Amino acid sequence: MNIHDSIEYLSEIAKKSGAEQFDILAGSYDSHGVSVFNGALQNTEISNSCGIGIRIFKNQKPGYASTEKFSKESLLQTLADAISNSEYTEPLNIDLPEPAPINGKLPTYNPKLESIDINCLLNTCLSIEKQILAADEIKNVPDLGAEVSSSSTFFANSKGAFFKDKRNDFGIGVGAVAERSGIVKMGWYSKSGRDFDIVSTEQISGEVVSRAKELLSPKPLKGGKMPVILSKRISAKIISIYLSSFFADNAQKGLSRLKGRLGEKIASEKFSLFSEPLQPDLPGSMLMDCEGVPTAPLSIVENGVFKSFLYNLESASKEKYKSTGHGVRGFSGKAETSFINAVVPFGEYSESEILSLFPECLLVNHLEGSSGCNSVSGEISIGAQGFWCKNGVPLHAVDNLTISANFFDMAKNIAGIGSEYSDSFSSVRVPSIAVSEMAVSA
């Protein structure tokens, strides 16, 4: 059976099973990509997967099960497994959503991307590599690849709600190694989106060469507490680590320091944070979440004041609250919570103006891992590279640094927000952030 027939059949047998309510999530994923090295194709990868899962409620107790086989026998077994699993879970007072009108469309799928085949990706990568290797001080390009992926998702529940979502995108990632006077650095850059016409091999190669070479002549920096600018290249990475603090289910489990702090000022008035599921230019945008709840923009932090947690159906039921439309789930997984595009609105400072907020400051534009960061405690301890700046002007590169703070303290010390986003096609969009004080060790 195909996906549509499988959803209908699983719905039929679920209705006869004695379950009070159920929802079904099915999907398929396809991708093709290449990697190159030293002027030759290194690897090709073609991936295809699909599956279907059901969540049933029997005696108000949820049970999950899934399968990647679409035969009647497999679907019957999947339902039986879900019912069996429900015997071991706790009751949840959840009412699955009724059918809701979906107004408008989002441009999540571009049929023109289907014409971008392996050969096109290969030629694009080879052109990028050739241009990078032609630059002075570039030693090699150890990481270079491109991929086109597409997915389809189908949702149905026992109340008659149904929706389908189709999306695709491409991604090109490249890392180049540069060397000067025995100092070796690597620069990274990625380009992604839904319109391959925006790809310029000259722009991509130029950007990665610039990033590889910009830190080649570092000078020592004395550690201590100092103002730090988290550039638009890396600010989203920092913010992403701590987004789970805003999930209601984490607060209910004692895994968020924000528990009990709704309505309080938790950050500088310069800082706001929104969930923006309906922005057409962001990759995570969707009209309905994976539990059948319509999505809508949501203010999480506004001018420093904590306005709302993110709820799925389960976490909302525990507080007799309504889901905010932030349930996420794959066909084989339990319903969880997530932002559907996390956006920090841009501020008033240009890239040059934000450097001038302090007489001297550290501009961080490269991070090394995140093992020293903890989303529960808020601790930040992360390797960094960047530039030492004076009177708004970068003076010299600095490396082998560690920046440290607590995220919740850092949020209160935000002195300004930049007016530009990076060109990353990301579901977390954050401008440059100026922090009045962070600990820096060298």
Side-chain angles (χ1 to χ4, degrees):
M1 288 190 289
N2 60 31
I3 287 183
H4 293 89
D5 292 339
S6 298
I7 292 172
E8 288 185 8
Y9 180 72
L10 190 53
S11 295
E12 275 180 33
I13 59 177
K15 289 174 182 176
K16 300 174 183 177
S17 69
E20 297 101 29
Q21 50 184 353
F22 62 85
D23 55 19
I24 296 169
L25 197 68
S28 62
Y29 174 84
D30 301 280
S31 69
H32 58 272
V34 303
S35 60
V36 304
F37 180 70
N38 202 23
L41 174 67
Q42 186 176 37
N43 187 44
T44 62
E45 184 171 340
I46 298 175
S47 175
N48 310 96
S49 62
C50 59
I52 186 169
I54 186 168
R55 173 175 63 172
I56 65 98
F57 291 85
K58 197 160 188 177
N59 299 320
Q60 292 190 313
K61 299 167 71 175
Y64 291 82
S66 64
T67 182
E68 295 182 7
K69 298 178 180 179
F70 290 84
S71 66
K72 289 186 176 181
E73 294 78 13
S74 293
L75 296 173
L76 280 166
Q77 186 61 54
T78 300
L79 176 61
D81 290 343
I83 293 173
S84 177
N85 291 337
S86 71
E87 297 175 8
Y88 304 99
T89 60
E90 296 297 320
L92 293 174
N93 185 23
I94 287 178
D95 284 323
L96 295 182
E98 301 280 350
I102 300 177
N103 298 317
K105 292 184 178 181
L106 289 170
T108 57
Y109 180 78
N110 179 8
K112 289 177 62 177
L113 267 185
E114 300 302 322
S115 66
I116 308 301
D117 58 13
I118 290 286
N119 192 54
C120 178
L121 296 177
L122 174 60
N123 290 333
T124 300
C125 288
L126 290 174
S127 177
I128 292 170
E129 184 188 52
K130 183 178 180 180
Q131 293 172 49
I132 293 172
L133 291 174
D136 293 339
E137 301 179 308
I138 296 296
K139 306 305 293 183
N140 61 30
V141 186
D143 292 289
L144 175 54
E147 179 185 67
V148 173
S149 62
S150 62
S151 65
S152 296
T153 301
F154 302 85
F155 173 89
N157 73 11
S158 52
K159 300 286 186 69
F162 177 84
F163 77 86
K164 59 182 179 180
D165 176 89
K166 189 173 185 180
R167 58 186 63 228
N168 61 1
D169 59 34
F170 75 88
I172 301 171
V174 54
V177 175
E179 182 177 3
R180 179 189 301 156
S181 302
I183 295 175
V184 178
K185 294 291 182 182
M186 190 164 186
W188 294 87
Y189 181 68
S190 63
K191 189 77 172 180
S192 54
R194 295 195 177 100
D195 183 3
F196 205 77
D197 291 340
I198 69 171
V199 172
S200 163
T201 58
E202 292 82 4
Q203 183 265 331
I204 293 172
S205 58
E207 187 67 37
V208 76
V209 167
S210 174
R211 294 188 181 195
K213 295 169 64 173
E214 66 184 1
L215 300 172
L216 278 178
S217 299
K219 293 183 180 180
L221 178 68
K222 184 179 180 180
K225 292 185 176 182
M226 62 188 69
V228 173
I229 309 296
L230 303 173
S231 84
K232 62 184 181 181
R233 289 192 207 169
I234 57 90
S235 55
K237 182 175 181 180
I238 292 285
I239 296 296
S240 294
I241 296 171
Y242 302 95
L243 290 178
S244 60
S245 298
F246 299 97
F247 300 170
D249 47 5
N250 281 341
Q252 291 163 358
K253 297 171 186 174
L255 298 177
S256 171
R257 286 183 51 180
L258 296 176
K259 182 177 182 178
R261 300 193 62 188
L262 278 172
E264 292 186 18
K265 187 175 182 182
I266 62 167
S268 160
E269 64 277 0
K270 302 279 187 180
F271 182 78
S272 296
L273 175 65
F274 296 86
S275 181
E276 295 285 1
L278 303 179
Q279 286 199 13
D281 59 335
L282 298 181
S285 295
M286 58 181 65
L287 297 169
M288 189 170 286
D289 78 358
C290 290
E291 295 187 292
V293 179
T295 62
L298 182 66
S299 172
I300 309 301
V301 180
E302 195 165 349
N303 302 126
V305 177
F306 183 25
K307 294 289 189 178
S308 178
F309 280 110
L310 275 61
Y311 290 88
N312 62 13
L313 288 174
E314 181 175 341
S315 59
S317 71
K318 293 178 180 178
E319 299 181 30
K320 296 182 179 180
Y321 200 70
K322 289 185 178 181
S323 169
T324 56
H326 290 87
V328 294
R329 178 182 157 211
F331 70 84
S332 62
K334 182 179 181 293
E336 305 288 349
T337 309
S338 181
F339 274 81
I340 305 178
N341 298 324
V343 176
V344 173
F346 56 74
E348 58 185 313
Y349 299 103
S350 68
E351 293 299 287
S352 60
E353 290 170 340
I354 202 166
L355 292 179
S356 301
L357 286 176
F358 313 106
E360 295 180 314
C361 66
L362 171 66
L363 170 64
V364 177
N365 59 15
H366 181 79
L367 297 176
E368 299 171 354
S370 58
S371 59
C373 300
N374 187 301
S375 61
V376 178
S377 67
E379 291 306 311
I380 300 172
S381 181
I382 190 167
Q385 301 182 59
F387 291 90
W388 181 245
C389 305
K390 189 171 183 178
N391 297 323
V393 178
L395 295 183
H396 60 81
V398 290
D399 63 2
N400 297 321
L401 305 176
T402 299
I403 55 173
S404 303
N406 186 281
F407 174 77
F408 301 100
D409 295 332
M410 186 196 82
K412 294 177 181 178
N413 292 330
I414 292 174
I417 302 289
S419 60
E420 303 172 22
Y421 297 117
S422 75
D423 65 351
S424 173
F425 186 61
S426 170
S427 58
V428 181
R429 180 169 286 188
V430 184
S432 296
I433 296 177
V435 184
S436 60
E437 184 179 274
M438 295 183 77
V440 178
S441 57

